[in-house]
Amino acid sequence: MRSNPARSMSKFAIVIAISLFAAIPSVSYAQSPDDAPSVLVDQDTESSIERTEDRFRNVFNNTARIKAYGANGQLAWLGSANLVKRENGHLTYLTNSHVVDGADSLTVEPFVDGFSLGEHKATVIVNHMTNTLDIGVLEVKDVIELASVPVIPMVVRDLAVGQEIFRVGHQRGEWGSGRLGHIVNVDDDYILSTPKAIGGDSGSSVMQFNESGDPEIIALTAWVTTFEGDQ
């Protein structure tokens, strides 16, 4: 991992990420003590638990680890990315410019249900860095090994302080780890959220769940900053 990125409480790029693609274990009962009857979970509750598990699972399965290699072929740093489009025989992954910039070669390594799907060579199609934007877009050939990776759409929505968010990132380059958080500030260029990101989270998308409970990408993890004295 690079020492400086993976950055959050978090600064997020929203509008340009959307514009890039504008054309675009089940629980049956709870066991009570021996001197009390078992407490059954009704069918509707059980189905709700399963749906919730599936929706969080989709975020894990959608998130990939990025490996950046130097000219000598050695691993230089790591980051995260999310699959936002499958079209014309290619997969499109959203990440940060600082994750892709300067690498001699890059690979995308998706994980589905806890299994690595292997490293797949990636091509940079967008590398855009400004004072307020940090966007990288990668393209990967859509091969049969990647057929089970779900796409999660990007959306533009009204965001407000206190709203809950969820993201999965490859912190320290390890297997994906999910974190619940909330928005603490919103302005024209970025939102701030907790918890702060950890090295390797860079490039991971920030999710909210819509009225149907399905995940949607609302922002992109990019920077660590300080807000009201907290990082």
Short mmCIF file of all heavy atoms in Angstrom, two decimals, residues 103-149:
data_model
loop_
_atom_site.label_atom_id
_atom_site.label_comp_id
_atom_site.label_asym_id
_atom_site.label_seq_id
_atom_site.Cartn_x
_atom_site.Cartn_y
_atom_site.Cartn_z
N ALA A 103 1.24 3.25 -11.83
CA ALA A 103 1.50 1.80 -11.85
C ALA A 103 1.94 1.37 -13.23
O ALA A 103 1.44 1.86 -14.25
CB ALA A 103 0.25 1.04 -11.44
N ASP A 104 2.88 0.44 -13.27
CA ASP A 104 3.27 -0.14 -14.55
C ASP A 104 2.21 -1.10 -15.05
O ASP A 104 1.95 -1.20 -16.24
CB ASP A 104 4.62 -0.86 -14.41
CG ASP A 104 5.16 -1.32 -15.76
OD1 ASP A 104 5.52 -0.44 -16.57
OD2 ASP A 104 5.21 -2.55 -15.99
N SER A 105 1.57 -1.83 -14.12
CA SER A 105 0.45 -2.71 -14.47
C SER A 105 -0.46 -2.84 -13.26
O SER A 105 -0.03 -2.61 -12.11
CB SER A 105 0.94 -4.09 -14.92
OG SER A 105 1.62 -4.76 -13.88
N LEU A 106 -1.70 -3.20 -13.51
CA LEU A 106 -2.71 -3.31 -12.46
C LEU A 106 -3.52 -4.58 -12.63
O LEU A 106 -3.77 -5.02 -13.77
CB LEU A 106 -3.66 -2.11 -12.49
CG LEU A 106 -3.06 -0.74 -12.16
CD1 LEU A 106 -3.77 0.35 -12.94
CD2 LEU A 106 -3.16 -0.47 -10.66
N THR A 107 -3.95 -5.15 -11.50
CA THR A 107 -4.89 -6.28 -11.58
C THR A 107 -6.07 -6.01 -10.66
O THR A 107 -5.97 -5.29 -9.66
CB THR A 107 -4.23 -7.61 -11.17
OG1 THR A 107 -3.84 -7.56 -9.79
CG2 THR A 107 -3.04 -7.93 -12.06
N VAL A 108 -7.20 -6.61 -11.03
CA VAL A 108 -8.41 -6.60 -10.22
C VAL A 108 -8.63 -8.01 -9.69
O VAL A 108 -8.62 -8.97 -10.47
CB VAL A 108 -9.62 -6.13 -11.05
CG1 VAL A 108 -10.91 -6.38 -10.29
CG2 VAL A 108 -9.48 -4.67 -11.43
N GLU A 109 -8.83 -8.14 -8.39
CA GLU A 109 -9.06 -9.46 -7.77
C GLU A 109 -10.38 -9.44 -7.01
O GLU A 109 -10.45 -9.02 -5.86
CB GLU A 109 -7.91 -9.81 -6.83
CG GLU A 109 -8.05 -11.20 -6.20
CD GLU A 109 -6.94 -11.52 -5.22
OE1 GLU A 109 -6.12 -10.61 -4.91
OE2 GLU A 109 -6.88 -12.67 -4.76
N PRO A 110 -11.46 -9.91 -7.64
CA PRO A 110 -12.76 -9.96 -6.95
C PRO A 110 -12.81 -11.13 -5.97
O PRO A 110 -12.09 -12.13 -6.12
CB PRO A 110 -13.76 -10.15 -8.08
CG PRO A 110 -13.00 -9.93 -9.35
CD PRO A 110 -11.58 -10.29 -9.05
N PHE A 111 -13.68 -11.01 -4.99
CA PHE A 111 -13.95 -12.07 -4.03
C PHE A 111 -15.46 -12.30 -3.99
O PHE A 111 -16.22 -11.35 -3.82
CB PHE A 111 -13.46 -11.69 -2.63
CG PHE A 111 -11.97 -11.58 -2.53
CD1 PHE A 111 -11.30 -10.45 -3.00
CD2 PHE A 111 -11.22 -12.59 -1.95
CE1 PHE A 111 -9.92 -10.34 -2.89
CE2 PHE A 111 -9.84 -12.49 -1.83
CZ PHE A 111 -9.18 -11.37 -2.32
N VAL A 112 -15.89 -13.55 -4.16
CA VAL A 112 -17.31 -13.88 -4.11
C VAL A 112 -17.52 -14.95 -3.06
O VAL A 112 -16.91 -16.02 -3.11
CB VAL A 112 -17.83 -14.34 -5.48
CG1 VAL A 112 -19.25 -14.90 -5.36
CG2 VAL A 112 -17.81 -13.18 -6.48
N ASP A 113 -18.36 -14.64 -2.09
CA ASP A 113 -18.68 -15.56 -0.99
C ASP A 113 -17.41 -16.06 -0.30
O ASP A 113 -17.32 -17.23 0.12
CB ASP A 113 -19.53 -16.73 -1.47
CG ASP A 113 -20.90 -16.30 -1.97
OD1 ASP A 113 -21.32 -15.17 -1.63
OD2 ASP A 113 -21.53 -17.07 -2.71
N GLY A 114 -16.41 -15.21 -0.19
CA GLY A 114 -15.20 -15.55 0.52
C GLY A 114 -14.15 -16.26 -0.30
O GLY A 114 -13.11 -16.64 0.23
N PHE A 115 -14.40 -16.43 -1.59
CA PHE A 115 -13.44 -17.08 -2.48
C PHE A 115 -12.84 -16.06 -3.44
O PHE A 115 -13.57 -15.31 -4.10
CB PHE A 115 -14.11 -18.20 -3.29
CG PHE A 115 -14.58 -19.35 -2.46
CD1 PHE A 115 -15.89 -19.39 -1.99
CD2 PHE A 115 -13.73 -20.39 -2.15
CE1 PHE A 115 -16.34 -20.45 -1.22
CE2 PHE A 115 -14.16 -21.47 -1.38
CZ PHE A 115 -15.47 -21.50 -0.91
N SER A 116 -11.51 -16.05 -3.54
CA SER A 116 -10.86 -15.19 -4.52
C SER A 116 -11.13 -15.74 -5.92
O SER A 116 -11.05 -16.95 -6.16
CB SER A 116 -9.35 -15.15 -4.28
OG SER A 116 -8.68 -14.52 -5.37
N LEU A 117 -11.44 -14.85 -6.83
CA LEU A 117 -11.65 -15.24 -8.23
C LEU A 117 -10.38 -15.03 -9.05
O LEU A 117 -10.42 -15.12 -10.27
CB LEU A 117 -12.81 -14.45 -8.84
CG LEU A 117 -14.15 -14.61 -8.13
CD1 LEU A 117 -15.25 -13.89 -8.91
CD2 LEU A 117 -14.51 -16.08 -7.92
N GLY A 118 -9.27 -14.76 -8.38
CA GLY A 118 -8.00 -14.60 -9.07
C GLY A 118 -7.76 -13.18 -9.55
O GLY A 118 -8.67 -12.35 -9.59
N GLU A 119 -6.53 -12.91 -9.93
CA GLU A 119 -6.17 -11.59 -10.44
C GLU A 119 -6.42 -11.51 -11.94
O GLU A 119 -6.07 -12.43 -12.68
CB GLU A 119 -4.69 -11.30 -10.15
CG GLU A 119 -4.37 -11.14 -8.68
CD GLU A 119 -2.92 -10.76 -8.45
OE1 GLU A 119 -2.44 -9.79 -9.10
OE2 GLU A 119 -2.25 -11.45 -7.64
N HIS A 120 -7.00 -10.41 -12.35
CA HIS A 120 -7.32 -10.21 -13.76
C HIS A 120 -6.74 -8.87 -14.21
O HIS A 120 -6.93 -7.84 -13.55
CB HIS A 120 -8.84 -10.24 -13.96
CG HIS A 120 -9.46 -11.55 -13.57
ND1 HIS A 120 -9.72 -12.53 -14.50
CD2 HIS A 120 -9.81 -12.04 -12.35
CE1 HIS A 120 -10.23 -13.58 -13.87
NE2 HIS A 120 -10.30 -13.32 -12.57
N LYS A 121 -6.02 -8.90 -15.31
CA LYS A 121 -5.36 -7.71 -15.82
C LYS A 121 -6.37 -6.61 -16.10
O LYS A 121 -7.42 -6.84 -16.69
CB LYS A 121 -4.58 -8.04 -17.09
CG LYS A 121 -3.77 -6.87 -17.64
CD LYS A 121 -2.97 -7.28 -18.87
CE LYS A 121 -2.18 -6.10 -19.43
NZ LYS A 121 -1.39 -6.49 -20.62
N ALA A 122 -6.02 -5.40 -15.67
CA ALA A 122 -6.92 -4.27 -15.82
C ALA A 122 -6.28 -3.16 -16.64
O ALA A 122 -5.06 -2.94 -16.57
CB ALA A 122 -7.32 -3.72 -14.45
N THR A 123 -7.10 -2.46 -17.40
CA THR A 123 -6.67 -1.32 -18.20
C THR A 123 -7.29 -0.05 -17.65
O THR A 123 -8.49 -0.01 -17.35
CB THR A 123 -7.10 -1.49 -19.67
OG1 THR A 123 -6.53 -2.70 -20.19
CG2 THR A 123 -6.64 -0.32 -20.52
N VAL A 124 -6.48 1.00 -17.51
CA VAL A 124 -7.00 2.28 -17.01
C VAL A 124 -7.69 3.01 -18.15
O VAL A 124 -7.09 3.26 -19.20
CB VAL A 124 -5.86 3.15 -16.45
CG1 VAL A 124 -6.40 4.49 -15.96
CG2 VAL A 124 -5.13 2.42 -15.32
N ILE A 125 -8.95 3.36 -17.96
CA ILE A 125 -9.67 4.12 -18.99
C ILE A 125 -9.99 5.54 -18.52
O ILE A 125 -10.28 6.40 -19.35
CB ILE A 125 -10.95 3.40 -19.45
CG1 ILE A 125 -11.92 3.17 -18.29
CG2 ILE A 125 -10.61 2.09 -20.13
CD1 ILE A 125 -13.26 2.59 -18.76
N VAL A 126 -9.94 5.79 -17.22
CA VAL A 126 -10.08 7.16 -16.69
C VAL A 126 -9.10 7.31 -15.54
O VAL A 126 -9.00 6.44 -14.67
CB VAL A 126 -11.50 7.45 -16.19
CG1 VAL A 126 -11.56 8.82 -15.51
CG2 VAL A 126 -12.51 7.39 -17.33
N ASN A 127 -8.35 8.41 -15.56
CA ASN A 127 -7.43 8.75 -14.46
C ASN A 127 -7.53 10.25 -14.27
O ASN A 127 -6.90 11.03 -14.99
CB ASN A 127 -6.00 8.33 -14.82
CG ASN A 127 -5.00 8.62 -13.72
OD1 ASN A 127 -5.36 9.11 -12.65
ND2 ASN A 127 -3.74 8.33 -13.99
N HIS A 128 -8.36 10.68 -13.33
CA HIS A 128 -8.71 12.10 -13.19
C HIS A 128 -8.49 12.57 -11.76
O HIS A 128 -9.14 12.10 -10.83
CB HIS A 128 -10.17 12.30 -13.60
CG HIS A 128 -10.58 13.74 -13.67
ND1 HIS A 128 -10.33 14.54 -14.77
CD2 HIS A 128 -11.23 14.52 -12.77
CE1 HIS A 128 -10.81 15.76 -14.55
NE2 HIS A 128 -11.36 15.76 -13.34
N MET A 129 -7.57 13.51 -11.58
CA MET A 129 -7.26 14.05 -10.26
C MET A 129 -7.31 15.57 -10.29
O MET A 129 -6.66 16.21 -11.13
CB MET A 129 -5.88 13.60 -9.80
CG MET A 129 -5.40 14.24 -8.50
SD MET A 129 -6.21 13.62 -7.01
CE MET A 129 -5.23 12.12 -6.78
N THR A 130 -8.12 16.16 -9.41
CA THR A 130 -8.14 17.60 -9.19
C THR A 130 -8.11 17.84 -7.69
O THR A 130 -7.98 16.90 -6.90
CB THR A 130 -9.40 18.26 -9.81
OG1 THR A 130 -10.55 17.85 -9.04
CG2 THR A 130 -9.58 17.85 -11.26
N ASN A 131 -8.28 19.10 -7.27
CA ASN A 131 -8.30 19.40 -5.85
C ASN A 131 -9.49 18.76 -5.14
O ASN A 131 -9.47 18.54 -3.92
CB ASN A 131 -8.35 20.92 -5.62
CG ASN A 131 -7.03 21.57 -5.97
OD1 ASN A 131 -5.98 20.93 -5.94
ND2 ASN A 131 -7.08 22.86 -6.31
N THR A 132 -10.56 18.49 -5.89
CA THR A 132 -11.78 17.96 -5.26
C THR A 132 -12.20 16.60 -5.82
O THR A 132 -13.16 16.02 -5.32
CB THR A 132 -12.95 18.93 -5.45
OG1 THR A 132 -13.15 19.17 -6.85
CG2 THR A 132 -12.69 20.25 -4.74
N LEU A 133 -11.52 16.11 -6.83
CA LEU A 133 -11.90 14.84 -7.45
C LEU A 133 -10.71 13.90 -7.53
O LEU A 133 -9.59 14.33 -7.81
CB LEU A 133 -12.48 15.06 -8.85
CG LEU A 133 -13.79 15.83 -8.91
CD1 LEU A 133 -14.15 16.15 -10.36
CD2 LEU A 133 -14.90 15.07 -8.23
N ASP A 134 -10.96 12.63 -7.31
CA ASP A 134 -9.91 11.61 -7.32
C ASP A 134 -10.53 10.34 -7.89
O ASP A 134 -10.92 9.43 -7.17
CB ASP A 134 -9.40 11.40 -5.88
CG ASP A 134 -8.21 10.45 -5.81
OD1 ASP A 134 -7.83 9.89 -6.85
OD2 ASP A 134 -7.68 10.27 -4.70
N ILE A 135 -10.63 10.28 -9.22
CA ILE A 135 -11.39 9.23 -9.91
C ILE A 135 -10.50 8.39 -10.80
O ILE A 135 -9.74 8.91 -11.62
CB ILE A 135 -12.50 9.84 -10.80
CG1 ILE A 135 -13.43 10.71 -9.97
CG2 ILE A 135 -13.29 8.74 -11.51
CD1 ILE A 135 -14.26 9.99 -8.97
N GLY A 136 -10.58 7.09 -10.65
CA GLY A 136 -9.94 6.16 -11.57
C GLY A 136 -10.97 5.13 -12.02
O GLY A 136 -11.81 4.70 -11.23
N VAL A 137 -10.92 4.77 -13.28
CA VAL A 137 -11.83 3.76 -13.81
C VAL A 137 -11.01 2.71 -14.54
O VAL A 137 -10.14 3.03 -15.36
CB VAL A 137 -12.88 4.37 -14.77
CG1 VAL A 137 -13.80 3.29 -15.33
CG2 VAL A 137 -13.70 5.44 -14.05
N LEU A 138 -11.27 1.45 -14.22
CA LEU A 138 -10.56 0.33 -14.80
C LEU A 138 -11.50 -0.54 -15.63
O LEU A 138 -12.69 -0.65 -15.31
CB LEU A 138 -9.93 -0.54 -13.70
CG LEU A 138 -8.87 0.12 -12.82
CD1 LEU A 138 -8.50 -0.81 -11.67
CD2 LEU A 138 -7.64 0.48 -13.63
N GLU A 139 -10.95 -1.13 -16.66
CA GLU A 139 -11.71 -2.05 -17.49
C GLU A 139 -11.05 -3.42 -17.46
O GLU A 139 -9.83 -3.53 -17.59
CB GLU A 139 -11.79 -1.52 -18.93
CG GLU A 139 -12.80 -2.24 -19.79
CD GLU A 139 -12.99 -1.56 -21.14
OE1 GLU A 139 -12.10 -1.73 -22.00
OE2 GLU A 139 -14.00 -0.84 -21.30
N VAL A 140 -11.86 -4.46 -17.29
CA VAL A 140 -11.38 -5.84 -17.21
C VAL A 140 -12.20 -6.68 -18.17
O VAL A 140 -13.41 -6.48 -18.32
CB VAL A 140 -11.55 -6.39 -15.77
CG1 VAL A 140 -11.12 -7.85 -15.70
CG2 VAL A 140 -10.75 -5.56 -14.77
N LYS A 141 -11.56 -7.60 -18.85
CA LYS A 141 -12.27 -8.48 -19.76
C LYS A 141 -13.26 -9.34 -18.98
O LYS A 141 -12.93 -9.93 -17.94
CB LYS A 141 -11.29 -9.37 -20.53
CG LYS A 141 -11.96 -10.22 -21.61
CD LYS A 141 -10.93 -11.00 -22.41
CE LYS A 141 -11.61 -11.84 -23.49
NZ LYS A 141 -10.61 -12.63 -24.27
N ASP A 142 -14.49 -9.43 -19.48
CA ASP A 142 -15.53 -10.19 -18.81
C ASP A 142 -15.42 -11.67 -19.16
O ASP A 142 -15.91 -12.12 -20.19
CB ASP A 142 -16.92 -9.66 -19.22
CG ASP A 142 -18.04 -10.24 -18.37
OD1 ASP A 142 -17.75 -10.98 -17.41
OD2 ASP A 142 -19.22 -9.96 -18.68
N VAL A 143 -14.73 -12.42 -18.32
CA VAL A 143 -14.53 -13.84 -18.55
C VAL A 143 -15.47 -14.65 -17.66
O VAL A 143 -16.06 -14.13 -16.72
CB VAL A 143 -13.06 -14.24 -18.28
CG1 VAL A 143 -12.14 -13.57 -19.30
CG2 VAL A 143 -12.65 -13.88 -16.86
N ILE A 144 -15.61 -15.93 -17.97
CA ILE A 144 -16.58 -16.78 -17.27
C ILE A 144 -16.31 -16.82 -15.77
O ILE A 144 -17.24 -16.93 -14.96
CB ILE A 144 -16.58 -18.22 -17.87
CG1 ILE A 144 -17.74 -19.03 -17.31
CG2 ILE A 144 -15.24 -18.89 -17.64
CD1 ILE A 144 -19.11 -18.52 -17.67
N GLU A 145 -15.03 -16.73 -15.37
CA GLU A 145 -14.69 -16.78 -13.94
C GLU A 145 -15.29 -15.62 -13.15
O GLU A 145 -15.43 -15.69 -11.93
CB GLU A 145 -13.17 -16.77 -13.76
CG GLU A 145 -12.45 -18.01 -14.24
CD GLU A 145 -12.11 -17.95 -15.73
OE1 GLU A 145 -12.54 -16.98 -16.41
OE2 GLU A 145 -11.40 -18.86 -16.19
N LEU A 146 -15.67 -14.55 -13.85
CA LEU A 146 -16.18 -13.36 -13.19
C LEU A 146 -17.70 -13.21 -13.32
O LEU A 146 -18.26 -12.18 -12.92
CB LEU A 146 -15.49 -12.12 -13.76
CG LEU A 146 -13.96 -12.10 -13.64
CD1 LEU A 146 -13.40 -10.83 -14.26
CD2 LEU A 146 -13.53 -12.23 -12.19
N ALA A 147 -18.35 -14.24 -13.83
CA ALA A 147 -19.79 -14.14 -14.10
C ALA A 147 -20.62 -13.93 -12.84
O ALA A 147 -21.72 -13.35 -12.89
CB ALA A 147 -20.26 -15.40 -14.82
N SER A 148 -20.12 -14.38 -11.68
CA SER A 148 -20.90 -14.28 -10.45
C SER A 148 -20.72 -12.96 -9.71
O SER A 148 -21.36 -12.75 -8.68
CB SER A 148 -20.51 -15.44 -9.51
OG SER A 148 -19.12 -15.41 -9.22
N VAL A 149 -19.88 -12.07 -10.23
CA VAL A 149 -19.67 -10.78 -9.56
C VAL A 149 -20.87 -9.87 -9.84
O VAL A 149 -21.17 -9.58 -11.01
CB VAL A 149 -18.37 -10.11 -10.03
CG1 VAL A 149 -18.17 -8.78 -9.30
CG2 VAL A 149 -17.17 -11.03 -9.81
#
